[in-house]
Amino acid sequence: MTELYNRSLEELHGMLVSKEITAQDLMRATFERIKETEPEIEAFITLNEEKALELAKALDEKGIDENNVLAGIPIGIKDNIVTKDLLTTAASKILYNFDPIYDATVMDKVYQADMIPVGKLNMDEFAMGGSTETSYFKKTKNAWDHSKVPGGSSGGSAAAVAAGQIPVSLGSDTGGSIRQPAAFNGIVGMKPTYGRVSRFGLIAFASSLDQIGPMTRTVKDNALALTAISGYDEKDGTSSGVSVPNFAEGLTGDIKGMKIALPTEYLGEGVAPGVKEAVLKAAETFRSLGATVEEVSLPHSKYGVAVYYIIASSEASSNLQRFDGIRFGYRSENVKNLEDVYVNSRSEGFGDEVKRRIMLGTFSLSAGYYDAYFKKAGQVRTLIKQDFEKVFADYDLIIGPSSPTVAFGIGENINDPITMYMSDILTIPVNLAGLPGMSIPAGLSEGLPVGLQLIGNYFEEKTMYQAAYAFEQATEFHKQQPAILGGQGE
């Protein structure tokens, strides 16, 4: 039973259908694995053991549907996705005791697919950060090297999958928060097209950028999970009615004739030599599979970070007004009047990075500066979007690094906001344009995983999965594993 944590979703499904194991067996083995590795990884904020075992028992009694690959599969949930009767903290002190009375739409979809949520995963506070070091609760470790960060903000979601605690997790991506931690931990992470997955019940950071997506160890597992959580939702005004294909169907590995673009800006200054080398080798792999790979330019991508931090911080300053110490969450006891309740609860409840972004956003939206900052950022966002549209007029896919570097040390960059912000330079433009982006393993540098980023046109996730699957089948990178999984990692 110990080997269950290293199997694909289809393998686990086969074992459940053949009754080699029961859903309860799988659930018990999952919690055993979590308890064994959690002291090293620290990926979970809250576990859902009692309810998960109840759901597994009910599923065993009902019987596993042989046509539903996800039935009985354990899944971890990022802690900014609202879960009924299960603490949802967004890794913040201000929500340390928040027990929701409803489920996010993606949770309804998880239950409809008969997947079983095992707990809530650590993250940067309110998804603000790129290393999972701004969490109020704990610092999650990289699965490959516990002295390194797991990336962020979905660091818990990535590390838990990479360490074999769970086969699949949900993260959220506002400027790279699924793809960068997926890259740092050597797994597959998909940020779908904006509107593909409902945001209802996702604690908002920046509403025009946020998107929920799956994190898994293989491309096909990821495609299965995205199929389950996608679809129109009337509760989300930005939800798209575009039909949802079965993303896992027809993954053949045939990409002959596919046209792939490699932006020169994505291999420029600041990209580590080992990362650049892995991406150029990946381009050669795609060529050997019959695809055309050509260099292109995305000239406005260099403004992405500046545009993103104005827009995202402005939206955050608006979204975080609801956390006021009155209706739910933390309330300061050090108060003499109503104003003290607001000011002290927020001062004591929010961490430094959240306060920094609220202040930056409030400044950008203020009367004297709105035109100079927020309005201008919106205009440049349109130029970034147009750059992508020009490339997609001629190409099926764009590739590049997911992150300029491999995982950095815990504590190394946390006191340098500019360095932290710049580490998202390659992922941010995708969110600004609302495009789908994913990270897949593309080798090792300095003994740590390198992520290859694939960017698709709107609602072209199927094309991305086809290319990613072809790359995965042609290489062995997805089989490289950290020491915690019995591999050769650090």
Side-chain angles (χ1 to χ4, degrees), residues 49-196:
E49 191 165 5
E50 196 178 322
K51 172 103 179 283
L53 287 165
E54 273 173 31
L55 288 168
K57 186 176 181 215
L59 199 55
D60 284 333
E61 285 166 3
K62 182 175 85 169
I64 300 286
D65 177 358
E66 64 180 61
N67 298 314
N68 176 12
V69 181
L70 299 176
I73 296 294
I75 183 170
I77 310 295
K78 187 174 178 179
D79 208 17
N80 59 347
I81 295 170
V82 171
T83 45
K84 188 179 179 187
D85 300 329
L86 183 62
L87 283 179
T88 301
T89 70
S92 179
K93 180 180 178 178
I94 210 160
L95 284 178
Y96 79 103
N97 62 353
F98 178 48
D99 192 359
I101 56 170
Y102 70 98
D103 271 319
T105 296
V106 286
M107 293 310 299
D108 292 340
K109 301 244 182 205
V110 161
Y111 290 123
Q112 282 161 21
D114 279 335
M115 297 181 85
I116 300 178
V118 298
K120 304 301 289 292
L121 290 153
N122 197 28
M123 55 183 279
D124 281 297
E125 184 182 7
F126 283 105
M128 297 180 190
S131 62
T132 311
E133 292 174 282
T134 69
S135 167
Y136 171 66
F137 297 98
K138 52 175 67 171
K139 284 184 174 59
T140 300
K141 317 297 188 296
N142 188 295
W144 287 73
D145 179 345
H146 305 334
S147 71
K148 307 288 185 194
V149 300
S153 62
S154 308
S157 300
V161 169
Q165 293 183 328
I166 41 174
V168 56
S169 67
L170 295 183
S172 69
D173 191 311
T174 309
S177 288
I178 285 173
R179 289 158 290 155
Q180 184 247 32
F184 280 8
N185 285 277
I187 62 166
V188 179
M190 168 64 91
K191 176 248 167 228
T193 307
Y194 184 78
R196 171 70 88 185

Side-chain angles (χ1 to χ4, degrees), residues 128-453:
M128 297 180 190
S131 62
T132 311
E133 292 174 282
T134 69
S135 167
Y136 171 66
F137 297 98
K138 52 175 67 171
K139 284 184 174 59
T140 300
K141 317 297 188 296
N142 188 295
W144 287 73
D145 179 345
H146 305 334
S147 71
K148 307 288 185 194
V149 300
S153 62
S154 308
S157 300
V161 169
Q165 293 183 328
I166 41 174
V168 56
S169 67
L170 295 183
S172 69
D173 191 311
T174 309
S177 288
I178 285 173
R179 289 158 290 155
Q180 184 247 32
F184 280 8
N185 285 277
I187 62 166
V188 179
M190 168 64 91
K191 176 248 167 228
T193 307
Y194 184 78
R196 171 70 88 185
V197 178
S198 172
R199 290 184 301 110
F200 178 77
L202 174 69
I203 295 173
F205 163 13
S207 307
S208 74
L209 301 162
D210 298 339
Q211 193 62 185
I212 297 169
M215 306 176 82
T216 57
R217 286 201 292 278
T218 68
V219 171
K220 193 164 191 183
D221 284 0
N222 202 278
L224 288 163
L226 183 62
T227 304
I229 63 168
S230 296
Y232 174 71
D233 178 19
E234 61 184 15
K235 296 184 195 136
D236 174 4
T238 58
S239 176
S240 169
V242 171
S243 65
V244 180
N246 181 338
F247 295 115
E249 219 169 50
L251 291 178
T252 59
D254 180 12
I255 56 166
K256 285 185 183 68
M258 191 179 277
K259 292 191 73 183
I260 298 174
L262 178 58
T264 50
E265 290 82 2
Y266 284 16
L267 293 173
E269 196 185 341
V271 177
V275 172
K276 188 174 179 177
E277 187 188 339
V279 171
L280 291 173
K281 277 187 181 164
E284 284 309 316
T285 302
F286 283 121
R287 286 190 183 107
S288 72
L289 292 167
T292 308
V293 184
E294 295 170 346
E295 286 200 5
V296 297
S297 179
L298 292 170
H300 295 98
S301 60
K302 62 186 175 197
Y303 303 118
V305 172
V307 169
Y308 172 84
Y309 279 98
I310 291 169
I311 291 174
S313 299
S314 298
E315 293 184 16
S317 71
S318 172
N319 281 323
L320 268 58
Q321 284 179 10
R322 72 194 71 175
F323 304 104
D324 54 11
I326 299 291
R327 287 157 290 192
F328 49 77
Y330 174 81
R331 181 185 297 183
S332 174
E333 291 177 9
N334 177 29
V335 297
K336 294 191 179 71
N337 53 40
L338 184 59
E339 188 181 346
D340 283 354
V341 174
Y342 296 142
V343 174
N344 295 355
S345 297
R346 291 166 68 81
S347 298
E348 295 163 22
F350 288 139
D352 289 346
E353 184 59 36
V354 174
K355 290 176 193 168
R356 186 181 289 124
R357 298 200 197 190
I358 290 173
M359 289 171 73
L360 181 61
T362 306
F363 174 77
S364 301
L365 292 172
S366 60
Y369 298 97
Y370 179 88
D371 284 356
Y373 291 101
F374 188 74
K375 188 179 173 190
K376 178 64 63 93
Q379 291 165 334
V380 180
R381 179 182 193 169
T382 302
L383 295 175
I384 290 170
K385 193 177 171 195
Q386 286 168 352
D387 281 352
F388 280 117
E389 284 166 359
K390 279 178 198 157
V391 171
F392 282 122
D394 298 317
Y395 295 89
D396 302 301
L397 207 62
I398 296 171
I399 61 168
S402 303
S403 169
T405 64
V406 292
F408 46 87
I410 291 171
E412 193 178 316
N413 295 332
I414 191 65
N415 296 317
D416 184 354
I418 304 300
T419 300
M420 291 294 287
Y421 295 174
M422 290 307 288
S423 70
D424 294 336
I425 194 163
L426 300 168
T427 48
I428 277 171
V430 175
N431 297 74
L432 291 170
L435 292 162
M438 73 187 292
S439 181
I440 58 174
L444 298 177
S445 174
E446 304 165 45
L448 293 165
V450 174
L452 176 73
Q453 181 174 209

